[in-house]
Coordinates of all heavy atoms in Angstrom, one line a residue:
S1 N -18.8 -15.1 -10.8 CA -17.6 -14.4 -10.7 C -17.9 -13.1 -9.7 O -16.9 -12.7 -9.1 CB -17.3 -13.9 -12.1 OG -18.4 -13.1 -12.6
A2 N -19.2 -12.8 -9.5 CA -19.5 -11.8 -8.5 C -19.1 -12.2 -7.1 O -19.0 -11.3 -6.2 CB -21.0 -11.3 -8.6
F3 N -19.1 -13.4 -6.8 CA -18.8 -14.0 -5.4 C -17.3 -14.3 -5.3 O -17.0 -15.0 -4.3 CB -19.7 -15.2 -5.1 CG -21.1 -14.8 -5.2 CD1 -21.9 -15.2 -6.2 CD2 -21.7 -14.1 -4.2 CE1 -23.3 -15.0 -6.3 CE2 -23.0 -13.8 -4.3 CZ -23.8 -14.2 -5.3
T4 N -16.5 -14.0 -6.2 CA -15.1 -14.2 -6.1 C -14.3 -12.9 -5.8 O -14.7 -11.7 -6.1 CB -14.4 -14.8 -7.3 OG1 -14.5 -14.0 -8.3 CG2 -15.0 -16.2 -7.5
Q5 N -13.1 -13.0 -5.1 CA -12.3 -11.8 -4.9 C -10.8 -12.2 -5.2 O -10.4 -13.2 -4.8 CB -12.4 -11.4 -3.4 CG -11.8 -10.1 -3.1 CD -12.2 -9.6 -1.8 OE1 -12.8 -10.4 -0.8 NE2 -12.0 -8.4 -1.4
T6 N -10.2 -11.3 -5.7 CA -8.8 -11.4 -6.2 C -7.9 -10.6 -5.2 O -8.1 -9.5 -5.1 CB -8.6 -11.2 -7.6 OG1 -9.6 -11.7 -8.4 CG2 -7.1 -11.3 -8.1
Y7 N -6.9 -11.3 -4.7 CA -5.7 -10.6 -4.1 C -4.5 -10.7 -4.9 O -4.1 -11.8 -5.4 CB -5.6 -11.3 -2.6 CG -6.8 -11.1 -1.8 CD1 -7.8 -12.1 -1.7 CD2 -6.9 -10.1 -1.0 CE1 -8.9 -12.0 -0.8 CE2 -8.0 -9.8 -0.1 CZ -8.9 -10.8 -0.1 OH -10.0 -10.7 0.8
I8 N -3.8 -9.6 -4.7 CA -2.5 -9.6 -5.5 C -1.4 -9.1 -4.4 O -1.7 -8.1 -3.8 CB -2.4 -8.7 -6.6 CG1 -3.5 -9.1 -7.7 CG2 -1.1 -8.6 -7.2 CD1 -3.7 -8.1 -8.8
N9 N -0.4 -9.9 -4.3 CA 0.6 -9.5 -3.3 C 1.9 -9.1 -4.1 O 2.4 -9.6 -4.8 CB 1.1 -10.8 -2.3 CG 0.0 -11.1 -1.4 OD1 -0.6 -10.3 -0.9 ND2 -0.1 -12.5 -1.2
I10 N 2.2 -7.7 -3.8 CA 3.3 -7.1 -4.6 C 4.2 -6.6 -3.6 O 3.8 -5.8 -2.7 CB 2.9 -6.1 -5.6 CG1 1.9 -6.7 -6.6 CG2 4.1 -5.5 -6.3 CD1 1.2 -5.6 -7.5
P11 N 5.5 -7.0 -3.5 CA 6.4 -6.3 -2.5 C 6.7 -4.8 -2.9 O 7.0 -4.6 -4.2 CB 7.6 -7.3 -2.6 CG 7.5 -7.8 -3.9 CD 6.1 -7.9 -4.3
I12 N 6.6 -3.9 -2.0 CA 6.9 -2.5 -2.3 C 7.9 -2.1 -1.2 O 7.7 -2.3 -0.1 CB 5.5 -1.7 -2.2 CG1 4.4 -2.1 -3.3 CG2 5.9 -0.2 -2.4 CD1 3.2 -1.4 -3.3
T13 N 9.0 -1.5 -1.8 CA 9.9 -0.9 -0.8 C 9.7 0.6 -0.5 O 9.5 1.4 -1.6 CB 11.2 -1.0 -1.5 OG1 11.4 -2.4 -1.8 CG2 12.3 -0.6 -0.5
L14 N 9.5 0.9 0.6 CA 9.3 2.4 1.0 C 10.5 3.0 1.6 O 11.2 2.3 2.5 CB 8.1 2.4 2.2 CG 6.8 1.8 1.7 CD1 5.8 2.0 2.9 CD2 6.3 2.7 0.6
N15 N 10.7 4.2 1.2 CA 12.0 4.9 1.6 C 11.5 5.6 3.0 O 10.4 6.1 3.1 CB 12.5 5.9 0.6 CG 13.0 5.2 -0.5 OD1 13.5 4.0 -0.4 ND2 13.0 5.9 -1.6
Q16 N 12.4 5.8 3.8 CA 12.0 6.6 5.0 C 11.6 8.0 4.8 O 10.6 8.6 5.5 CB 13.2 6.6 6.0 CG 13.0 7.2 7.4 CD 12.1 6.4 8.3 OE1 12.0 5.2 8.1 NE2 11.3 7.0 9.0
D17 N 12.2 8.7 3.8 CA 11.8 10.0 3.4 C 10.4 10.1 3.0 O 9.7 11.0 3.4 CB 12.8 10.7 2.3 CG 14.2 10.7 2.8 OD1 14.3 10.9 4.1 OD2 15.1 10.7 2.0
E18 N 9.9 9.2 2.1 CA 8.5 9.2 1.7 C 7.6 8.9 2.8 O 6.5 9.6 2.8 CB 8.4 8.1 0.6 CG 9.2 8.4 -0.7 CD 9.0 7.1 -1.6 OE1 8.7 6.0 -1.3 OE2 9.4 7.2 -2.8
V19 N 7.9 8.0 3.8 CA 6.9 7.7 4.9 C 6.9 8.9 5.8 O 5.8 9.3 6.1 CB 7.4 6.5 5.7 CG1 6.7 6.2 7.0 CG2 7.4 5.2 4.7
D20 N 8.0 9.7 6.0 CA 8.0 10.8 6.8 C 7.1 12.0 6.2 O 6.4 12.6 6.9 CB 9.3 11.3 7.2 CG 10.2 10.4 8.1 OD1 9.5 9.5 8.7 OD2 11.4 10.4 8.0
A21 N 7.3 12.1 4.9 CA 6.5 13.1 4.1 C 5.0 12.8 4.2 O 4.2 13.6 4.2 CB 7.0 13.3 2.7
A22 N 4.8 11.4 4.1 CA 3.3 11.0 4.2 C 2.6 11.2 5.6 O 1.6 11.6 5.7 CB 3.3 9.6 3.8
E23 N 3.5 11.0 6.6 CA 3.0 11.3 8.0 C 2.8 12.7 8.2 O 2.0 13.1 9.1 CB 3.9 10.6 8.9 CG 3.8 9.0 9.0 CD 4.8 8.3 9.8 OE1 5.4 9.1 10.6 OE2 4.7 7.3 9.9
A24 N 3.6 13.6 7.7 CA 3.4 14.9 7.9 C 2.4 15.7 7.1 O 1.8 16.6 7.5 CB 4.8 15.7 7.4
S25 N 1.7 14.9 6.2 CA 0.7 15.4 5.3 C -0.6 15.2 6.1 O -0.8 14.4 7.0 CB 0.6 14.5 3.9 OG -0.6 14.7 3.5
F26 N -1.5 16.1 5.9 CA -2.8 16.1 6.6 C -3.7 14.9 6.3 O -4.2 14.3 7.1 CB -3.6 17.5 6.3 CG -4.8 17.5 7.0 CD1 -4.9 17.8 8.4 CD2 -6.1 17.4 6.3 CE1 -6.1 17.8 9.1 CE2 -7.2 17.4 7.0 CZ -7.3 17.8 8.4

C-alpha cells in the first residue's frame, strides 16, 4: 500500500471575487 497513490477529482467552482482576492494576497 506504500506504493499506491490515490487521486480524487472534485469539481470546485471559483468565484471571480475569491480569485482576485487570492491574487492580491502576498
Side-chain angles (χ1 to χ4, degrees):
S1 63
F3 298 107
T4 60
Q5 191 171 9
T6 303
Y7 292 96
I8 301 173
N9 292 324
I10 300 174
I12 297 176
T13 307
L14 298 176
N15 297 333
Q16 184 66 34
D17 297 334
E18 292 176 338
V19 173
D20 290 339
E23 289 178 359
S25 160
F26 180 74

